[in-house]
């Protein structure tokens, strides 16, 4: 085997000809799920900060474990009860984490704490973040439960999963693969060794194929561009709605001025003047709002207004003058 063939083998399998295959793992999960502690347990050393330190960017650590090189990438966690979804920064760091283990990770560990009930909202959030890495990511993902103290005192892990429809659904998306790491290791039980064995079995089933970093980054870029185009289109629709509302109000103003001229012989009253000012102020304010709220929720865009709507808006504005 010449040097070029050696380099190809190292790139494709993550190993050198004279060593055991390397293993590259990326950790994802909600905030305070215990991802950093899991990384330390796998590497057998305190290589990630775990006490009172929030992971804000993807971090790579590697160490020889069981006579092979193991790489672990820790990523920021998403909020477990988000008001408007995960932040763009967290999503980008998760995607960037894949690029830290070139040419790609063998495994994605989806870390889920079993310290409280797992809700439908949490399952949806977990699935959305796995799919940041592409649909193929499910074939490389294992659900890793972190268990505190006596959380499973009266039940086995299998019973816990079976009793929760949401946990069961999440595990099924991962091909039935799951494992648990306990806050207190049980005597005679090496949970980390068992986890690595499960990961090796998954890698073998995948025939050594990686979750390609290049493919993940390209797909993420395309999704961001599509989202940006959607936002721009929504902004244009908002501006068009505001323009139509402004024109309709002006038409209403002209119609009423014409009626006043016809009804009063062309003499405008002081009340009519105040109403006109009120209408103009409303249209100016709506126009300014359209400029400032271009990044607002698309559901806040004004509807197409009818004549009765415009009259009601006019009357309400004039009462405040």
């Amino acid at each position: 085997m010449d040097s070029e063939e050696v380099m190809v083998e190292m790139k494709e399998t993550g190993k050198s000809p004279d060593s055991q295959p390397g293993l590259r793992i990326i950790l994802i999960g909600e905030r305070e799920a215990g991802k950093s502690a899991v990384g330390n347990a796998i590497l057998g050393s305190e290589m990630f900060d775990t006490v009172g330190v929030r992971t804000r960017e993807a971090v790579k650590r590697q160490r020889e474990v069981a006579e092979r090189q193991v790489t672990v990438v820790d990523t920021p966690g998403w909020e477990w009860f988000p008001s408007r979804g995960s932040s763009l920064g967290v999503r980008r760091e998760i995607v960037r984490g894949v690029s830290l283990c070139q040419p790609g990770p063998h495994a994605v560990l989806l870390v889920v704490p079993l310290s409280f009930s797992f809700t439908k909202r949490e399952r949806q959030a977990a699935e959305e973040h796995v799919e940041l890495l592409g649909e193929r990511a499910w074939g490389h993902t294992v659900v890793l439960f972190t268990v505190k103290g006596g959380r499973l005192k009266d039940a086995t892990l299998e019973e816990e999963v079976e009793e929760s429809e949401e946990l069961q659904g999440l595990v099924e998306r991962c091909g039935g693969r799951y494992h648990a790491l306990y806050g207190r290791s049980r005597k005679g039980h090496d949970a980390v060794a068992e986890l690595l064995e499960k990961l090796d079995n998954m890698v073998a089933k995948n025939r050594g194929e990686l979750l390609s970093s290049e493919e993940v980054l390209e797909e993420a870029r395309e999704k961001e561009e599509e989202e940006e185009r959607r936002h721009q289109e929504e902004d244009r629709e908002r501006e068009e709605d505001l323009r139509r509302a402004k024109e309709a109000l002006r038409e209403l103003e002209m119609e009423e001025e014409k009626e006043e001229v016809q009804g009063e012989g062309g003499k405008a009253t002081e009340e009519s003047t105040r109403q006109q000012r009120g209408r103009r102020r409303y249209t100016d304010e709506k126009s300014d709002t359209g400029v400032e709220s271009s990044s607002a929720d698309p559901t806040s865009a004004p509807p197409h207004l009818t004549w009765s709507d415009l009259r009601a808006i006019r009357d309400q504005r004039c009462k405040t003058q």
Side-chain angles (χ1 to χ4, degrees), residues 35 46 61 70 112 125 167 175 207-208 211 226-227 251 264:
K35 297 184 300 297
E46 296 294 316
R61 298 287 185 267
V70 175
V112 176
L167 284 180
R207 298 181 178 180
L211 187 58
E226 178 61 29
E227 188 173 351
E251 288 178 10
E264 301 180 14

Side-chain angles (χ1 to χ4, degrees), residues 20 25 27 31 36 40-41 52 56 63 68 90 96 103 111 123 132 174 176 185 209 216-217 262-263 269-270 291:
Q20 293 295 321
I25 304 167
L27 305 171
R31 280 192 61 193
S36 298
N40 290 336
R56 297 186 180 277
R63 191 166 185 262
R68 64 172 167 180
V90 168
R96 189 178 75 85
V111 183
R123 175 186 169 182
L132 288 174
C174 300
S185 59
E209 291 183 1
V216 170
L217 294 173
Q262 293 174 349
T269 64
E270 182 179 349
V291 174

